[in-house]
């Protein structure tokens, strides 16, 4: 006869007399005894419950005779168990069950008492639209925002030899208050005028300087020509192929001295400086432009001439073309605002090595008929250039310290995008999250990465193939995974992972010397989800209710979804439209952004959202 030990699990814990089950495929059990000591089995019948928690209607278990589950035979006094097959129970629902014994010849005439259990609720329920195979390709440039960079490093340097033939000695005594610490570079006192020159480059984001760099001089409405079109609103910023290094003034001062000491009289001249650089992802030649707008030139200087050298610092790696200037580099004190000087220069990487880093250096020497020369040099470390023939055999150059942003095509493959957003937003390692400062690090093909790791091996850990070569999802993924044969004939379930296999963040990437950041033994350790069409026009990304719900301390995600959706979500879009376009090399960081999910909240225990926003 049936015992009174009706248990449902896992786990085998109760709340208010109801077993709390962490899946929709629970194991039900009860003890069984036989008066004759014979072996016996138990028949398990499962029922829905009404609003009061009382047994209501029997659930006819699919593919089982009479709609009930029958255990195997167990010894008298033992525990009989059955597992409810997938597809019979719903998440977050309370059920009742009871048992009846059979010893091979006699059936128990009475049912056991009732046991109750509740399946766990969903942890993920994201409502999504249909995939659109005709959605236009995204222009990833639209999502690349300027990235702030640090101030240039400024160095005092010997001046260039001016036409007068004068050359300042290397060791010059600086006037009081003009220390190298403050960026000053000073020349020798002019013996005839008793003026000592000093120069420096200083940050200056004042309205006066900004106006000078966004208008051609003062009071002139015609805008200055820009090599980089967004430089009229930015100062110290870069993109992958463009840089704006401005918001500075170049100062040249003449300190009047007497008996070796400053008298307090100072002649001032200064220029607003705007520097712009434009690289190419498909060429070894790049261009920079320097804009010099006069802010003041003391009439006592009579005139000030600037000698400007903006060069590639590594002559063994790149060559400098001739400078071309629109506007003379001499300004008269009697007419200081007469013109602006705009210079351009091309540089070409020699492409001898497969990859090189290049630094640009700018040096300005100023001198006057009444003051000897003084010079300052600067370079911007955050605007270092990397040229290569690794990402492509066609040489190209990029600002490698800029971290680009990858945006997946939501309209085309919303289900794959939802999966990536969920994992990035919910897990503590936040792969690719800019707000959490957790970039994804690119893993190119084995011949282009340091450990020689084939990214497909990462995928094999998270999404192993079945013995017949089919996808893990076709055998082990949730059977309610929906394919799209109307888009791709013969479409089959596929396994999608995040973080991507082609990254050091992948759960399949081994740790240690190989460099994996989140290694796991198998994809079973990841958050498990699947994408299903609820009705035409409405899809859902669900956590896999057949299994234990996510603990949210996992480091990776695995989702069963349409093969077409999975492959299309990355495919050529990533390699040609992003990693290739922005010349990503081994371990280069990048962000992953999900604009359509900005209204979704992943902080709750259950992640629910409708995308796009209803």
């Amino acid at each position: 006869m049936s015992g009174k030990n009706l248990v449902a699990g896992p786990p085998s814990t109760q709340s208010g007399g109801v077993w709390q089950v962490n899946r929709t495929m629970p194991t039900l059990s009860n003890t069984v005894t036989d008066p004759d000591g014979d072996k016996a089995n138990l028949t398990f019948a499962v029922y829905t419950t009404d609003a009061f928690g009382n047994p209501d209607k029997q659930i006819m278990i699919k593919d089982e005779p009479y709609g009930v589950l029958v255990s195997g035979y167990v010894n008298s006094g033992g525990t009989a168990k059955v597992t409810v097959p997938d597809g019979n129970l719903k998440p977050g629902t309370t059920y009742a069950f009871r048992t009846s014994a059979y010893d091979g010849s006699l059936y128990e005439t009475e049912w056991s008492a009732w046991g109750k259990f509740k399946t766990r609720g969903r942890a993920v329920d994201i409502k999504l639209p249909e995939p659109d195979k005709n959605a236009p390709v995204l222009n990833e440039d639209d999502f690349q925002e300027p990235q702030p960079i640090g101030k240039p490093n400024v160095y005092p340097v010997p001046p260039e030899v001016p036409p007068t033939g004068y050359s300042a000695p290397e060791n010059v005594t600086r006037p009081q208050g003009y220390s190298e610490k403050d960026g000053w570079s000073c020349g020798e006192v002019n013996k005839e005028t008793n003026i000592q020159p000093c120069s420096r480059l200083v940050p200056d984001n004042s309205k006066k300087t900004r106006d000078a760099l966004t208008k051609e001089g003062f009071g002139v409405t015609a805008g200055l020509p820009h090599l980089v079109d967004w430089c009229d609103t930015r100062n110290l910023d870069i993109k992958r192929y463009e840089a704006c290094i401005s918001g500075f003034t170049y100062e040249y001062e003449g300190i009047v001295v007497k008996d070796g000491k400053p008298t307090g009289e100072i002649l001032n001249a200064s220029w607003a400086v705007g520097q712009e650089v434009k690289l190419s992802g498909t060429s070894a030649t790049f261009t920079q432009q320097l804009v010099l707008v006069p802010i003041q030139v003391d009439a006592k200087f009579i005139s000030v001439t600037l000698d400007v050298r903006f060069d590639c610092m590594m002559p063994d790696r790149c060559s400098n073309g001739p400078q071309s200037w629109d506007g003379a580099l001499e300004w008269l004190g009697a007419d200081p605002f007469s013109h602006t000087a705009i210079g351009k220069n091309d540089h070409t990487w020699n492409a001898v090595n497969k990859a090189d880093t290049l630094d640009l250096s700018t040096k300005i020497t100023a001198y006057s008929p009444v003051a000897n020369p003084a010079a300052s040099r600067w370079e911007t470390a955050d605007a270092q250039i990397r040229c290569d023939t690794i990402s492509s055999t066609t040489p190209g150059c990029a600002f490698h310290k800029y971290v680009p942003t990858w945006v997946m095509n939501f309209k085309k493959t919303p289900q794959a995008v939802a999966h990536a957003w969920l994992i990035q937003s919910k897990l503590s390692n936040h792969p690719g999250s800019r707000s959490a400062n957790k970039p994804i690090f690119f893993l190119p093909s084995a011949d282009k990465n340091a450990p020689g790791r084939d990214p497909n091996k990462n995928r094999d850990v998270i999404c192993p193939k079945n013995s017949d070569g089919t996808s893990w999802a076709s055998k082990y993924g949730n059977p309610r995974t929906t394919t799209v044969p109307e888009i791709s004939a013969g479409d089959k379930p596929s396994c999608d992972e995040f973080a991507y296999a082609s990254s050091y963040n992948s759960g399949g990437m081994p740790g240690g010397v190989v460099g994996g950041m989140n290694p796991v033994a198998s994809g079973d350790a990841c958050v498990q989800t699947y994408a299903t069409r609820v009705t035409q026009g409405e899809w859902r990304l669900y956590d896999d209710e057949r299994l234990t719900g996510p603990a949210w301390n996992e480091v990776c995600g695995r989702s069963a979804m349409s093969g077409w959706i999975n492959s299309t979500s990355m495919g050529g879009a990533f390699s040609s439209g992003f990693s290739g376009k922005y010349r990503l090399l081994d371990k280069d960081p990048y962000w992953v952004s999900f604009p359509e999910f900005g209204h979704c909240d992943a902080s709750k225990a259950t992640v629910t959202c409708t995308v796009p926003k209803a």
Side-chain angles (χ1 to χ4, degrees), residues 8-303:
S12 298
T13 57
Q14 282 185 307
S15 176
V18 179
W19 295 102
Q20 304 299 307
V21 178
N22 63 13
R23 63 194 67 193
T24 58
M25 296 175 61
T27 296
L28 310 179
S29 66
N30 195 4
T31 55
V32 58
T33 56
D34 184 82
D36 301 322
D38 295 331
K39 288 186 175 182
N41 63 24
L42 288 181
T43 296
F44 290 76
V46 182
Y47 291 73
T48 62
T49 58
D50 61 20
F52 300 99
N54 299 315
D56 189 11
K57 297 178 181 179
Q58 183 179 350
I59 292 176
M60 304 307 291
I61 304 298
K62 299 174 183 177
D63 301 322
E64 293 292 336
Y66 310 107
V68 295
L69 295 169
V70 180
S71 73
Y73 284 90
V74 297
N75 292 326
S76 179
T79 300
K81 298 181 179 181
V82 296
T83 298
V84 181
D86 177 47
N88 290 284
L89 306 180
K90 298 178 180 180
T93 305
T94 301
Y95 297 93
F97 72 102
R98 58 184 181 176
T99 64
S100 177
Y102 174 64
D103 67 0
S105 59
L106 295 174
Y107 286 96
E108 186 176 8
T109 57
E110 299 289 337
W111 287 93
S112 71
W114 291 98
K116 294 181 182 179
F117 65 92
K118 184 178 181 180
T119 55
R120 70 170 179 86
R122 290 204 180 278
V124 178
D125 184 357
I126 302 174
K127 183 179 178 181
L128 302 162
E130 291 285 340
D132 180 2
K133 68 175 182 179
N134 297 316
V137 175
L138 297 184
N139 181 1
E140 296 294 330
D141 286 344
D142 294 340
F143 305 101
Q144 310 309 310
E145 295 296 326
Q147 173 181 306
I149 57 175
K151 298 175 183 178
N153 298 314
V154 184
Y155 307 96
V157 289
E160 295 298 325
V161 178
T164 60
Y166 175 86
S167 179
E170 293 186 5
N171 298 315
V172 175
T173 301
R174 302 170 187 274
Q176 185 177 359
Y178 287 80
S179 69
E180 183 176 335
K181 179 181 177 181
D182 294 327
W184 287 106
S185 177
C186 298
E188 190 176 69
V189 176
N190 185 304
K191 299 296 177 57
E192 296 181 1
T193 63
N194 290 321
I195 295 175
Q196 182 171 14
C198 292
S199 70
R200 68 174 178 175
L201 182 80
V202 293
D204 183 0
N205 199 29
S206 66
K207 183 178 185 302
K208 187 175 184 179
T209 300
R210 291 198 308 271
D211 286 347
L213 292 171
T214 55
K215 298 177 181 179
E216 191 171 2
F218 298 100
V220 181
T221 56
L224 288 168
H226 284 287
L227 184 65
V228 177
D229 57 9
W230 48 273
C231 282
D232 58 349
T233 59
R234 312 293 294 212
N235 291 323
L236 274 171
D237 298 270
I238 58 173
K239 288 188 177 181
R240 196 68 174 180
Y241 295 117
E242 298 171 324
C244 301
I245 307 169
S246 60
F248 301 94
T249 57
Y250 175 75
E251 298 179 349
Y252 176 64
E253 294 190 356
I255 299 94
V256 180
V257 298
K258 185 176 181 180
D259 298 328
K261 296 181 180 181
T263 65
E265 182 182 358
I266 299 174
L267 283 60
N268 292 286
S270 61
W271 291 259
V273 179
Q275 189 171 15
E276 302 174 17
V277 185
K278 196 172 188 67
L279 311 179
S280 172
T282 57
S283 174
T285 297
F286 52 93
T287 303
Q288 66 168 316
Q289 173 178 288
L290 197 70
V291 177
L292 296 168
V293 181
I295 294 177
Q296 63 176 331
V297 178
D298 195 311
K300 292 181 180 180
F301 270 131
I302 302 175
S303 68

Side-chain angles (χ1 to χ4, degrees), residues 314-378:
M314 293 82 171
D316 60 324
R317 298 181 185 180
C318 72
S319 59
N320 301 305
Q323 294 183 18
S324 62
W325 284 93
D326 181 5
L329 290 173
E330 181 182 13
W331 284 266
L332 301 177
D335 188 13
F337 307 124
S338 59
H339 66 280
T340 294
I342 303 172
K344 286 188 178 181
N345 198 358
D346 287 341
H347 313 278
T348 301
W349 174 52
N350 63 21
V352 173
N353 300 318
K354 288 187 176 182
D356 278 315
T357 54
L358 312 175
D359 292 290
L360 299 179
S361 170
T362 304
K363 176 181 178 181
I364 297 181
T365 300
Y367 57 91
S368 160
V370 300
N372 294 327
S376 295
R377 183 180 74 82
W378 71 87

Side-chain angles (χ1 to χ4, degrees), residues 438-458:
K438 297 291 183 71
I440 286 182
F441 293 91
F442 181 54
L443 179 73
S445 58
D447 60 326
K448 296 180 180 181
N449 69 64
R453 175 74 172 180
D454 182 353
N456 288 323
K457 291 187 179 297
N458 291 348

